[in-house]
Each structure stands twice: as structure tokens, then as C-alpha cells.
Amino acid sequence: MNTGELRGKHGFEVFRAPVWHPKVKKLPDPMNYAEILFRFGYLNPSRLFDMVMGWKNILQVIAPDLAVFDHSPTANLGSRSISMKRAFFGTGFCAPPQMSPMPTIRPWVKTPSQRLQSIENRALQTINPVLERIDAPVLEKLMNLFDCDENFLKTFPELDHYQERGSV
């Protein structure tokens, strides 16, 4: 059943998720979560702003008491200026550990911490102007993207993408 059928048959409201479709070319293999974000609009503040505003508008219309995000960093950004509880639900990959700079996703490749910090700084240069435009608190560190009221990881420690997670 497609969403149009759900709406007509059951009266559900349907909202289209703001997503990034263009392919970003000529990027190196990602070393951490931030470099993955670069492939999905996080190198372009105006495009990121459009997606964040799309999520913010949807969340304002729905007005939930709690939003549960399953690997949706852009929706989470859109929620930062709205009074609501936030929870993450997903694998370890979806909610990286609260570390700065964010750890590598390729531990077998020796990556200088300066490179990881540079990547994180570049992501913040895109994200924070967007947050300022929507009157939301800026991120001091990229790990603050994953600040939430509750983080539900659905994985086993042995299968977690990040072995340095701590007591989550």
C-alpha cells in the first residue's frame, strides 16, 4: 500500500521527508561520521538549511512530545529549536559515541587526530550557520549533534561500529 492509499483509505496525513538526492563527487573515502554527512548536503549551508527547515516545518505541524530518530541527523537538527523530547534508536553507527573529534569508522587506517578534527570543524562550519538561522543552539562539538534525552542502541557490543563507546 502506498502513502496515497493510506491517506485516502484511513485519513492519515502524509509528509514527504526532506532528503538529499544529488551525488557529491570527488570526496575521499570517509574517515568518520562527519565525512559521511558531507555526501548528504552537509557541505552546503543553503542546501542543508532547506532540508533542516523542511524537517522543522513537519515537526511543528505534528507537534510531538517525543521524536524518535533512527539515523536522521538532519531531522534532529530541525528539532533543535522546538521544545520536545528526543530519543535515538538504531545501531551503533547511527549514534556515534560522544567523543571529539568523532572517531574513525576505519580503525585499520592510521588517521591523524588533526585530520579528524579538521573534518569535524568543516562540518560545524556548515551546521552552525543553519542552526543560527533557525534560532537553535549551535553545536560546540559535532558530537553534540547526538545530544538527546535517551539513546537506545540496538546492537551487541561485539557488533558496534565503535569499540570506544563507554557506558552506553
Side-chain angles (χ1 to χ4, degrees):
M1 181 176 289
N2 67 38
T3 57
E5 291 171 358
L6 279 174
R7 182 181 179 140
K9 187 174 182 178
H10 301 288
F12 291 114
E13 286 296 323
V14 177
F15 299 92
R16 185 169 188 267
V19 295
W20 177 263
H21 290 290
K23 292 253 188 235
V24 180
K25 298 177 182 173
K26 298 183 182 178
L27 291 177
D29 290 337
M31 294 308 296
N32 65 4
Y33 190 86
E35 279 194 317
I36 292 171
L37 291 176
F38 293 164
R39 288 158 169 71
F40 297 95
Y42 282 69
L43 283 173
N44 185 320
S46 64
R47 298 295 178 138
L48 180 60
F49 174 77
D50 292 342
M51 291 187 296
V52 168
M53 280 304 298
W55 281 113
K56 180 179 177 179
N57 292 336
I58 289 170
L59 292 167
Q60 285 177 320
V61 168
I62 296 170
D65 295 323
L66 168 69
V68 179
F69 298 111
D70 179 3
H71 196 233
S72 32
T74 312
N76 182 38
L77 287 175
S79 77
R80 288 179 63 86
S81 66
I82 301 170
S83 179
M84 68 169 64
K85 300 264 187 201
R86 291 162 192 76
F88 291 109
F89 179 82
T91 66
F93 174 78
C94 300
Q98 297 288 77
M99 300 172 70
S100 183
M102 286 190 159
T104 182
I105 58 171
R106 301 169 64 205
W108 58 91
V109 177
K110 194 98 167 140
T111 308
S113 62
Q114 298 92 333
R115 174 157 186 233
L116 296 175
Q117 187 62 58
S118 174
I119 296 165
E120 182 165 317
N121 292 343
R122 177 62 184 96
L124 291 171
Q125 289 172 356
T126 302
I127 294 168
N128 282 336
V130 170
L131 292 174
E132 288 172 348
R133 285 182 70 184
I134 66 167
D135 294 321
V138 298
L139 305 178
E140 288 182 37
K141 299 179 183 294
L142 191 57
M143 70 181 192
N144 299 127
L145 176 60
F146 298 96
D147 291 346
C148 62
D149 296 290
E150 196 65 55
N151 188 351
F152 301 100
L153 292 179
K154 57 180 186 181
T155 189
F156 296 101
E158 298 83 7
L159 299 177
D160 193 349
H161 292 76
Y162 300 98
Q163 295 302 308
E164 307 158 7
R165 185 166 300 277
S167 62
V168 172

